[in-house]
Amino acid sequence: MKKITTLLLISLAAYSLEAQTLIQAYKNRADQVSQTNVTTLLQEFQTLGVKTTGSAANTNTLNWLKAKYQSYGYTTSQITEDPFTFGNNINSKNLIITKTGTTYPNIYVIICGHYDTIMGPGVSDNGSGTSIILEAARILRNIPTEYSVKFIHFSGEEQGLQGSAHYADNVVFQNNVRQLNIKLVFNIDQVGGKITNNNNAIKCESDQDGLAGNNAQSLAITQQLANCTALYSPLQTVMSNTYSSDYVPFEQNGDIITGFYENTRSFNEHTVNDTFANVDPTYVFNVGKAAVGALQHFAVASTSLLGTSEAPVHALESVKVYPNPAKDVLNIELPESIKKFRVEITDLSGRLLITKENETKINVSDLTGGAYLCTVKTGDTTAVRKIIIEK
Ligand SMILES: [Zn+2]
């Protein structure tokens, strides 16, 4: 017994040591998560409606996801579907995007989250995780990783993990024989926060149920997830336990799992209130940075700053709009170099309410209380920020 404990401690120490130092290339890529992209993805997710598994909106969302991956440059051979049927002939599909590793092409790091929703558009549960997986895939497409990566969007989660169970039991395993070797499963579910909460921390979830006997590895991986969160995002971390999401069917088959879940729960999940107006896009942006940092660590991404086609973050990404919430005046803070710009404020249905040229103090006293979008444009680049007007 004692011997086992010592070995375990040594392996845990080795695990956490590798994650302790910041890798500049990883940070640069984590910083490529774009607030504008995240905000736009969350809005588009809202527009797709209530994505009940098997519904037309559910299929439309699958097609929206596929189009995103194609626009990022993923090829047809990298994009596969996993169709499944359950209940009273309900049909849906998981979407799997595979990026092949350089050293361990047959060992996979899975980053996943569900895209189906119930009752509402599910902008937090789980448009937030969906948006982060998309940003991670966009940023890392051309970055070599030693391990293969699968970006997976599950459906049927809200009906009892139907999609992930199908994938774990019929793709990862076939007739109880393992077909895919998985290093770990990193699930992201409901990280939207609530706009009125102080969303400064994220729950890092480890497996504590003891079914598969791999709790120690899950804890070690989750500690690395927390370390990466501290290194690559401004968020604090809270260690927690895995619970009722798409990692569970993998865990039941013996795989090592970890996950992110919002620390201060919105309680908007599974209601009509899980909308863009109620989520905190800055929180999703910060969780995205943590996820991109951690995914690079798990998949052992190239640490080289040179020789890759890494697009610089455009100048407008640093735009700050404050205070938020605002009452009468909204301040726009831009990089010094930008002199000519346009500010547009629209409501959430896209109706243009205010337009100003080259003004950094915007009078918003005529707006009624609620959520709006503030778009700053210069040349052909734009930055989009969600703002709250409080009256
Ligand atoms: Zn969920």
Side-chain angles (χ1 to χ4, degrees):
M1 197 65 211
K2 193 154 186 250
K3 213 174 198 172
I4 293 167
T5 313
T6 313
L7 270 176
L8 180 63
L9 284 176
I10 291 167
S11 68
L12 284 178
Y15 264 123
S16 46
L17 265 183
E18 345 163 14
Q20 292 302 313
T21 51
L22 182 138
I23 294 170
Q24 191 58 47
Y26 291 9
K27 180 170 190 314
N28 291 3
R29 295 173 200 137
D31 286 345
Q32 286 178 34
V33 174
S34 152
Q35 178 71 76
T36 295
N37 288 357
V38 166
T39 300
T40 305
L41 289 168
L42 293 173
Q43 270 196 294
E44 290 178 5
F45 198 83
Q46 153 120 354
T47 306
L48 286 157
V50 185
K51 302 151 197 75
T52 312
T53 303
S55 67
N58 185 256
T59 305
N60 292 342
T61 307
L62 179 87
N63 292 332
W64 171 77
L65 286 166
K66 279 197 283 190
K68 289 290 176 198
Y69 283 96
Q70 284 161 357
S71 77
Y72 302 154
Y74 285 90
T75 59
T76 312
S77 65
Q78 289 179 286
I79 305 173
T80 58
E81 295 175 348
D82 168 35
F84 62 95
T85 302
F86 68 99
N88 191 12
N89 202 28
I90 299 171
N91 298 291
S92 190
K93 290 172 177 174
N94 302 316
L95 185 69
I96 301 106
I97 287 76
T98 306
K99 171 180 155 53
T100 304
T102 53
T103 310
Y104 308 103
N106 297 319
I107 306 179
Y108 297 90
V109 169
I110 290 179
I111 181 169
C112 58
H114 70 91
Y115 71 88
D116 65 298
T117 76
I118 48 165
M119 297 304 287
V123 177
S124 177
D125 180 18
N126 186 30
S128 57
T130 302
S131 303
I132 289 169
I133 295 166
L134 285 167
E135 274 293 87
R138 177 184 69 80
I139 293 161
L140 299 182
R141 187 179 75 91
N142 283 324
I143 306 300
T145 53
E146 290 189 8
Y147 290 86
S148 289
V149 178
K150 283 186 184 288
F151 304 90
I152 305 186
H153 300 270
F154 289 118
S155 185
E157 197 267 359
E158 303 291 10
Q159 283 75 21
L161 317 178
Q162 298 292 338
S164 52
H166 184 269
Y167 185 79
D169 297 342
N170 297 278
V171 179
V172 179
F173 279 82
Q174 281 169 14
N175 302 315
N176 295 318
V177 178
R178 184 179 280 280
Q179 310 293 315
L180 290 180
N181 287 314
I182 295 174
K183 185 184 180 195
L184 63 97
V185 176
F186 172 24
N187 186 64
I188 308 178
D189 195 359
Q190 197 179 326
V191 294
K194 190 178 175 180
I195 190 71
T196 47
N197 289 339
N198 178 19
N199 303 301
N200 62 355
I202 184 80
K203 278 198 168 76
C204 301
E205 305 170 310
S206 70
D207 174 16
Q208 293 170 21
D209 73 2
L211 271 184
N214 55 15
N215 290 8
Q217 293 107 307
S218 172
L219 182 63
I221 285 290
T222 304
Q223 189 58 56
Q224 294 174 35
L225 178 64
N227 289 342
C228 289
T229 300
L231 289 171
Y232 301 111
S233 87
L235 296 172
Q236 292 164 27
T237 57
V238 176
M239 294 298 278
S240 182
N241 59 300
T242 52
Y243 176 76
S244 192
S245 188
D246 285 317
Y247 36 37
V248 170
F250 293 90
E251 190 270 347
Q252 288 173 340
N253 289 344
D255 283 315
I256 300 167
I257 63 170
T258 192
F260 271 157
Y261 188 83
E262 63 193 8
N263 187 48
T264 306
R265 194 169 164 189
S266 70
F267 292 100
N268 281 332
E269 66 273 13
H270 313 159
T271 76
V272 294
N273 294 321
D274 191 355
T275 59
F276 179 76
N278 288 330
V279 303
D280 180 352
T282 305
Y283 184 53
V284 182
F285 167 68
N286 287 330
V287 178
K289 286 186 179 191
V292 171
L295 181 58
Q296 293 180 88
H297 168 73
F298 291 146
V300 192
S302 166
T303 57
S304 169
L305 287 163
L306 301 169
T308 51
S309 58
E310 300 195 39
V313 179
H314 70 70
L316 275 185
E317 263 303 313
S318 63
V319 162
K320 287 193 179 66
V321 177
Y322 66 94
N324 196 9
K327 196 166 180 287
D328 296 319
V329 176
L330 196 65
N331 297 287
I332 314 289
E333 188 182 300
L334 301 115
E336 285 278 317
S337 57
I338 297 172
K339 306 289 182 207
K340 284 192 165 183
F341 59 94
R342 175 203 291 262
V343 179
E344 293 177 357
I345 295 176
T346 57
D347 64 18
L348 295 187
S349 60
R351 202 157 54 98
L352 186 60
L353 303 169
I354 295 175
T355 309
K356 296 286 176 194
E357 303 272 348
N358 312 324
E359 274 183 42
T360 55
K361 287 192 185 300
I362 313 292
N363 181 344
V364 291
S365 56
D366 287 346
L367 297 179
T368 54
Y372 296 84
L373 286 175
C374 175
T375 304
V376 182
K377 298 184 178 182
T378 176
D380 54 5
T381 55
T382 57
V384 182
R385 300 290 180 268
K386 181 179 162 185
I387 54 166
I388 301 293
I389 302 295
E390 238 171 40
K391 285 290 152 73

